Amino acid sequence: MIDKYKPKNRIEFLEMIDRMYERKYENVNINVRYDGLEVEYDLIDSEINGKHQACFIPYPEF
């Protein structure tokens, strides 16, 4: 998705990631870091409902 719609700056990148994760997961928290975004979220699945996950997404080239 990021390759298809290349953000122009960090704010557009943050908005893009926020929309993408909010549609897919519950309780999404995004922490802004110097070199990327730290995203924490809960999975919405009948087998693993409420399992907490986290990932780091580095900033792309702007």
Side-chain angles (χ1 to χ4, degrees):
M1 179 176 168
I2 294 170
D3 292 334
K4 189 175 180 181
Y5 304 104
K6 187 172 180 176
K8 296 176 187 163
N9 54 43
R10 290 183 180 192
I11 293 172
E12 284 186 10
F13 180 66
L14 174 62
E15 290 171 344
M16 181 185 301
I17 296 298
D18 182 50
R19 283 191 306 269
M20 185 172 67
Y21 276 81
E22 286 290 335
R23 278 187 260 139
K24 212 171 178 184
Y25 303 109
E26 265 185 10
N27 300 326
V28 176
N29 295 314
I30 299 176
N31 300 311
V32 177
R33 302 284 183 224
Y34 178 74
D35 54 349
L37 302 175
E38 182 181 81
V39 182
E40 299 177 38
Y41 54 93
D42 292 334
L43 297 175
I44 307 170
D45 191 334
S46 58
E47 294 178 16
I48 53 176
N49 194 19
K51 186 172 182 182
H52 190 74
Q53 296 286 310
C55 67
F56 180 79
I57 305 171
Y59 292 121
E61 295 293 323
F62 298 110

